[in-house]
């Protein structure tokens, strides 16, 4: 899963989490303050290193540019698709679904990580606002959620990769 930072003040980082699609083991992390061109190049290098891993990019904001570079400049062969388009569009509704699916993976102890930064960010990923059935979730003020978002997107991409595999496709790593 690839979370693309909005460049600007605040120190938000771009982050990607690479999972083993068979075991849901977190095998690698990319995280840094990169402009989209450099970040895309790093995603491609990591994806190729992991057998052309399925890359699922959050397409909000600068993510659309990252997807464009993946397709046109790098001709990356394995970009996740949702609802007929490449990438993952994050809204409060889709974010709630990501959270629920990731929580399920954690509850049944499928997801494992050795990256100490991810659990630290997860500890600050909270309900920010609640109105009836509506919950807005994210990092507490002053904290970051780039690794959490990347992990949740990768977790969802893994579900897509498994569905493709069960339909006769090849199972690769996911990012």
């Amino acid at each position: 899963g690839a979370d693309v930072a909005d460049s600007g003040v605040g120190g938000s980082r771009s982050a990607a989490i690479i999972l083993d699609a068979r075991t849901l083991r977190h095998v690698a992390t990319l995280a840094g303050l990169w402009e989209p061109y450099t970040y895309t190049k790093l995603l491609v290098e990591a994806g190729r290193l992991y057998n052309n891993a399925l890359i699922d990019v959050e397409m909000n904001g600068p993510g659309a540019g990252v997807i464009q570079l993946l397709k046109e400049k790098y001709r990356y062969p394995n970009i996740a698709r949702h609802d007929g388009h490449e990438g993952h569009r994050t809204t409060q509704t889709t974010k709630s679904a990501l959270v629920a699916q990731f929580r399920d993976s954690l509850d049944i102890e499928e997801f494992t990580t050795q990256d100490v930064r991810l659990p630290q960010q997860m500890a600050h990923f909270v309900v920010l606002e609640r109105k009836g059935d509506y919950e807005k979730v994210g990092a507490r003020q002053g904290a970051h959620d780039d690794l959490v978002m990347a992990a949740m997107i990768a977790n969802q991409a893994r579900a897509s990769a498994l569905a493709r595999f069960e339909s006769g496709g090849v199972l690769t790593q996911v990012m």
Side-chain angles (χ1 to χ4, degrees):
D3 181 46
V4 185
D6 288 325
S7 52
V9 180
S12 183
R13 297 176 309 174
S14 291
I17 299 285
I18 303 170
L19 301 178
D20 181 318
R22 294 179 201 281
T23 64
L24 205 52
R25 185 172 59 93
H26 175 179
V27 297
T29 302
L30 291 173
L33 297 170
W34 302 297
E35 50 83 25
Y37 184 86
T38 301
Y39 182 52
T40 305
K41 184 177 180 196
L42 292 169
L43 288 174
V44 169
E45 290 171 2
R48 289 184 177 146
L49 182 66
Y50 285 93
N51 195 30
N52 285 326
L54 177 67
I55 299 178
D56 196 354
V57 179
E58 181 180 31
M59 64 182 286
N60 300 39
V66 168
I67 292 167
Q68 200 72 18
L69 286 167
L70 285 170
K71 288 182 351 186
E72 294 179 7
K73 178 171 178 40
Y74 294 102
R75 300 194 185 289
Y76 192 79
N78 205 7
I79 303 169
R81 296 183 65 83
H82 301 276
D83 300 323
H85 55 78
E86 283 99 357
H88 176 84
R89 181 172 306 283
T90 302
T91 64
Q92 281 306 314
T93 302
T94 62
K95 198 174 197 179
S96 293
L98 284 174
V99 169
Q101 188 175 26
F102 192 55
R103 188 177 290 139
D104 288 346
S105 294
L106 292 170
D107 285 348
I108 59 175
E109 297 179 2
E110 278 188 312
F111 182 90
T112 59
T113 185
Q114 298 299 313
D115 189 332
V116 297
R117 298 168 299 175
L118 179 57
Q120 289 169 349
Q121 282 193 9
M122 289 167 60
H124 297 284
F125 194 82
V126 297
V127 175
L128 300 171
E129 180 183 341
R130 183 176 282 132
K131 292 182 182 174
D133 290 340
Y134 169 80
E135 288 185 343
K136 180 179 180 180
V137 296
R140 286 187 176 112
Q141 188 168 351
H144 296 281
D145 66 0
D146 46 285
L147 294 173
V148 177
M149 287 302 300
M152 291 190 304
I153 294 168
N155 185 58
Q156 182 184 56
R158 187 247 190 174
S160 298
L162 286 177
R164 242 197 275 169
F165 175 70
E166 290 168 359
S167 299
V170 175
L171 187 61
T172 63
Q173 310 297 39
V174 296
M175 171 175 16

